[in-house]
Amino acid sequence: MFTMKEKLYLLELLKRQNRKRLFGFGKKNPSHDRLVEKLEQMVRNEQVNREQL
C-alpha cells in the first residue's frame, strides 16, 4: 500500500511522462491512461475519507 505522498508523486510522474509523449518522444503504453485514472481515484478516495474521519 502506498502513502498519499507516494501516490501523488507517482501521479505526477505519469502525467509528466504523458506530456513528453505529446511532443513526440516515444509511444504511449495502453495501460498508461488506466493507471493515471486509478491513481487519481485512489487520491480522491483518500481525501474524502480523511475529511469524514
Side-chain angles (χ1 to χ4, degrees):
M1 207 61 168
F2 293 112
T3 65
M4 178 69 136
K5 194 173 188 177
E6 292 168 334
K7 289 175 194 172
L8 290 171
Y9 178 73
L10 288 172
L11 189 57
E12 179 185 331
L13 285 178
L14 286 170
K15 286 184 176 184
R16 193 177 312 150
Q17 189 178 33
N18 193 34
R19 276 187 239 131
K20 288 180 183 177
R21 285 196 186 91
L22 291 175
F23 296 109
F25 297 112
K27 193 167 67 170
K28 190 173 187 178
N29 189 341
S31 63
H32 182 88
D33 289 334
R34 199 172 20 172
L35 286 172
V36 168
E37 188 176 322
K38 279 186 177 185
L39 269 173
E40 287 174 340
Q41 182 65 40
M42 290 168 70
V43 168
R44 281 192 300 267
N45 287 343
E46 195 165 325
Q47 288 172 340
V48 167
N49 289 340
R50 277 191 182 165
E51 291 173 3
Q52 291 179 353
L53 293 178

